[in-house]
Amino acid sequence: MKYILLFLAVAVGYLIALLVKTKKIKLMSVFLAFSGAFLLSITLFNLLPEVFETTSNNIGVYIMSGILLQIFLEFFSKGAEHGHVHLPSQKLVFPWLLFFSLSIHSLLEGFPISEDNNLLIGIIVHKIPIAVILSLFFINANYKMRTTLVFLFLFSIMTPLGSWISINYEFIQVYKTQLTAVSIGIFLHVSTTILFESSKDHKFDLSKMSAVVTAIILAYFL
Ligand SMILES: [Zn+2]
Ligand SMILES: [Zn+2]
């Protein structure tokens, strides 16, 4: 069930992109701000306490390596995880670098999803705006429909795959806490970047601020 939901998040994103097409909607950036605040809240309220409850040492080091890994991945994705897409729009080939960096990011994102936390909702809320932005990029850059769909399909199965691997492989279970800590680092970096970029030039924006506060309150009471 949760695998299908994760997959659908990307499909929904693509449909929204098809509907809005070239129109730059303000609503999108408000939703992105909401998703960033929501993901950050789930990370702080659910995931962090979870890893610190265990006896594992060096949790902080794993979190830090997650942050570093995400910084490294964004050299290749140019920030697609937090709502940026910059690619040469002249060569309309399959964007392999973007694909690999997004895949590693999405795979790791799937590992900590479990019954005990609200991360599944957090990831779904995070995936939709990213999928819309990615799809809009592909559509506006005149990529072939087939390339777009193949890319989005492969992108959409990475997080469910990560979640499935973490449940079905004992080897992974042993390192569950460490992997969750790495994912926490990734979430911290991505969500705070979204929040940072959503208040461009530190200008106050009532709708975005309301979205952020609503997301935090919702995540707290979930
Ligand atoms: Zn950025
Ligand atoms: Zn992500």
Side-chain angles (χ1 to χ4, degrees):
M1 181 60 187
K2 68 177 179 189
Y3 302 128
I4 297 170
L5 285 176
L6 285 166
F7 174 78
L8 281 181
V10 175
V12 167
Y14 179 66
L15 288 177
I16 295 174
L18 278 184
L19 288 172
V20 299
K21 276 267 165 62
T22 47
K23 266 178 272 165
K24 276 234 169 187
I25 40 165
K26 167 98 194 326
L27 201 63
M28 207 55 240
S29 62
V30 176
F31 188 35
L32 190 65
F34 178 91
S35 77
F38 196 77
L39 189 62
L40 180 60
S41 305
I42 299 283
T43 306
L44 295 179
F45 302 154
N46 295 163
L47 292 185
L48 263 187
E50 205 175 273
V51 289
F52 279 109
E53 258 167 26
T54 62
T55 48
S56 248
N57 293 319
N58 291 327
I59 292 295
V61 174
Y62 289 100
I63 297 177
M64 199 61 231
S65 44
I67 293 177
L68 270 178
L69 174 65
Q70 184 58 33
I71 292 173
F72 181 74
L73 289 175
E74 287 181 14
F75 291 133
F76 304 102
S77 70
K78 306 290 175 203
E81 300 90 333
H82 62 255
H84 273 168
V85 189
H86 313 278
L87 276 179
S89 48
Q90 297 304 316
K91 290 188 296 178
L92 298 180
V93 289
F94 194 83
W96 287 108
L97 279 179
L98 174 67
F99 177 71
F100 281 126
S101 52
L102 268 184
S103 295
I104 297 168
H105 165 93
S106 303
L107 203 68
L108 284 165
E109 220 159 53
F111 284 120
I113 296 175
S114 76
E115 307 291 322
D116 327 314
N117 55 48
N118 293 314
L119 186 61
L120 178 64
I121 314 169
I123 298 285
I124 290 170
V125 170
H126 157 65
K127 286 273 179 218
I128 297 173
I130 301 301
V132 176
I133 290 159
L134 266 178
S135 309
L136 277 178
F137 169 80
F138 277 98
I139 294 168
N140 292 332
N142 291 316
Y143 271 78
K144 280 202 204 85
M145 175 97 158
R146 212 186 59 189
T147 312
T148 312
L149 287 177
V150 168
F151 186 96
L152 288 175
F153 174 76
L154 293 173
F155 168 62
S156 68
I157 58 172
M158 288 304 162
T159 303
L161 184 68
S163 183
W164 183 82
I165 291 173
S166 83
I167 290 165
N168 291 286
Y169 283 86
E170 230 163 279
F171 171 75
I172 298 285
Q173 287 290 331
V174 179
Y175 297 101
K176 187 81 198 272
T177 309
Q178 285 85 344
L179 279 167
T180 302
V182 171
S183 305
I184 288 174
I186 291 177
F187 294 142
L188 284 178
H189 185 270
V190 169
S191 58
T192 48
T193 308
I194 293 175
L195 285 180
F196 168 71
E197 290 182 356
S198 73
S199 57
K200 203 166 178 274
D201 303 324
H202 306 287
K203 272 203 206 89
F204 181 75
D205 182 320
L206 183 66
S207 46
K208 278 182 193 166
M209 253 343 271
S210 323
V212 166
V213 174
T214 311
I216 296 169
I217 295 172
L218 263 178
Y220 184 80
F221 288 106
L222 261 182

